[in-house]
Amino acid sequence: MKPAHKRMSRMIGYCLTLGTADAWSGFSLVAARRLSETERAALAFSALNSLELDHAEMTAAASIGSAGTPLPPFLGGMEDARFWASYASRSELKAYALACFNAMPASDQAAFFQYISAKEVAA
């Protein structure tokens, strides 16, 4: 076993024993110095896969950030919507887009469909 891996194994043990936010924050710092990016990604991937889907999504969102619920529009709405969308995760964008589309009257749905059909969509 590589010395860096042995030290990281001990570090995980210390963090599990202490169980504090400070201990896990320290783990992140040590892992960044002692493990490669590929090793850290594999560790994160494995840890997220050990969780239920909802818990994994919440954990990943807390780590990398997400937009959360959109705020009510201040003036107009399109500028606020674009700002929120620039921070939203992919799952947030898909959920709100579908919910908004479904809430539109049929005439607005048709107009929206015509608008997106005219746009060139990247596959």
Side-chain angles (χ1 to χ4, degrees), residues 3-114:
H5 292 168
K6 193 179 280 190
R7 286 190 289 265
M8 288 309 303
S9 296
R10 279 194 302 259
M11 184 70 180
I12 288 174
Y14 298 147
C15 292
L16 290 169
T17 300
L18 293 172
T20 64
D22 286 341
W24 287 109
S25 180
F27 176 82
S28 296
L29 295 172
V30 173
R33 302 228 352 133
R34 301 207 187 267
L35 299 176
S36 70
E37 189 163 335
T38 301
E39 291 168 332
R40 294 190 316 271
L43 187 61
F45 181 83
S46 296
L48 286 173
N49 276 331
S50 72
L51 302 173
E52 293 294 325
L53 181 59
D54 288 346
H55 199 175
E57 284 183 354
M58 288 187 303
T59 302
S63 176
I64 62 176
S66 66
T69 306
L71 297 173
F74 179 61
L75 297 172
M78 196 55 159
E79 187 174 328
D80 293 332
R82 284 188 180 110
F83 178 76
W84 175 85
S86 71
Y87 288 96
S89 68
R90 184 172 182 235
S91 62
E92 288 172 324
L93 290 171
K94 290 168 63 175
Y96 281 96
L98 182 60
C100 290
F101 181 80
N102 287 336
M104 289 180 191
S107 60
D108 287 344
Q109 286 181 348
F112 181 75
F113 185 75
Q114 185 176 5

